[in-house]
DNA sequence: TTCTTATTGTTATGAGTCATAACAATGTTG
DNA sequence: CAACATTGTTATGACTCATAACAATAAGAA
């Protein structure tokens, strides 16, 4: 069978192309951020806290489409690593800020993400990148991007 | 903090847009295929076997970017459900074909996927869909789409 | 102000995806 | 034949995402 030509009626589906493209970019980002021992999600969280000091982990979850529940181990890990400061604002929530080393890590993440985006931007030169962004944003804005709770 | 405006320096990243768009489409397809109790991966496998009768599960894995290892429970589940026939061709591999009910399921999957794609195609009318496909294919063709083994 | 409801963080848990290591049986090739 | 590659398999671990349940707290309505 390996010698025969396999045809792939799925390759023309938009959803499948999206999934594979997303997976390829995520894999690349994962590899790149691996150099500073961070996962894409963790890098993203550092960026977001840098841009929104004193936000809560629920705020982050809403921005990222990640449920409260699943934010716990993420924030906990970054905190244990000395990247985050938590200061109580409420009786229940904490204002998150970057520590000195957290800010340093954030800078590295930013640089790595820039290079990563550049790598892929080069792949699609000549394409309508603005149109691509618009289309992706339209698709992403579909329901169910809302986290469970 | 909830009252303040949160800004999202990540939302402009292509990789992030891709991930969210892909996630939105996958969620929609998952919901749609849920009506016949199949996951997107399983539906895709039925389509591929329908288009490539007598392929092996390793062939499918290569097409889908899924490792040999992770094909085992997928094929096993579809087989137990009576959707697949396995006939030995080698001393080691099996030629996969759809049973009567597997073919019926495949037809339903095809119909559901068509409707699903249509739903999203309507979202991006006026956009350069051909260009979108081209760009996604370029990104997806990046290394690391190759399964581990 | 009290009663009700909503929010926040948390633990525990399970499904689904993906990767690796190890293995036996079998094919293929030098 | 001997070395190597492929196929299917089991077992296992990381990561993502979802749900249920809970305690503490806050906010809004009666």
């Amino acid at each position: 069978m390996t010698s025969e030509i396999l045809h792939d009626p799925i390759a023309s589906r938009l959803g499948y192309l999206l999934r594979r493209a997303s997976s390829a970019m995520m894999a690349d980002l994962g590899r790149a951020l691996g150099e500073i021992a961070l996962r894409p999600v963790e890098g993203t969280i550092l960026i977001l806290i840098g841009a929104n000091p004193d936000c809560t982990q629920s705020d982050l979850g809403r921005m990222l489409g990640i449920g409260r529940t699943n934010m716990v181990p993420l924030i906990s890990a970054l905190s244990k690593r000395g990247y985050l400061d938590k200061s109580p604002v409420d009786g229940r929530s904490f204002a998150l800020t970057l520590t000195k080393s957290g800010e340093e890590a954030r800078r590295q993440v930013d640089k790595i993400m820039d290079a990563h985006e550049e790598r892929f931007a080069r792949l699609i030169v000549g394409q309508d990148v603005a149109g691509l962004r618009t289309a992706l944003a339209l698709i992403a804005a579909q329901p169910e991007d809302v986290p469970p709770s």
Side-chain angles (χ1 to χ4, degrees), chain A:
Chain A
M1 188 62 192
T2 310
S3 59
E4 297 175 31
I5 295 164
L6 298 173
H7 49 117
D8 189 346
I10 238 64
S12 62
R13 302 252 178 207
L14 183 60
Y16 186 67
L17 277 175
L18 256 182
R19 188 182 147 283
R20 297 302 289 275
S22 167
S23 158
M25 275 199 87
M26 283 292 285
D28 183 80
L29 182 59
R31 238 174 295 129
L33 285 177
E35 288 173 32
I36 55 174
L38 286 174
R39 286 173 294 147
V41 166
E42 297 174 315
T44 304
I45 288 173
L46 291 184
I47 301 277
L48 286 179
I49 295 176
N52 301 280
D54 292 333
C55 65
T56 68
Q57 70 183 53
S58 284
D59 289 331
L60 294 172
R62 273 183 291 270
M63 282 191 269
L64 292 171
I66 296 177
R68 258 190 351 280
T69 289
N70 300 322
M71 289 302 298
V72 176
L74 292 171
I75 296 300
S76 166
L78 290 173
S79 196
K80 268 182 200 141
R81 201 153 149 185
Y83 287 170
L84 302 185
D85 270 337
K86 300 167 74 167
S87 68
V89 281
D90 241 6
R92 50 190 172 163
S93 53
F94 304 90
L96 300 171
T97 52
L98 297 178
T99 61
K100 203 110 181 178
S101 67
E103 172 55 24
E104 170 56 23
R106 200 219 96 243
R107 257 193 299 272
Q108 291 182 273
V109 169
D110 216 52
K111 195 179 298 182
I112 289 171
M113 281 190 177
D114 281 344
H116 157 75
E117 291 266 325
E118 243 304 287
R119 249 185 327 270
F120 282 84
R122 262 196 290 276
L123 281 181
I124 54 175
V125 285
Q127 302 295 316
D128 177 12
V129 179
L132 175 61
R133 285 173 186 281
T134 305
L136 292 179
L138 284 170
I139 293 171
Q142 271 312 88
E144 233 65 13
D145 233 23
V146 188
S149 163

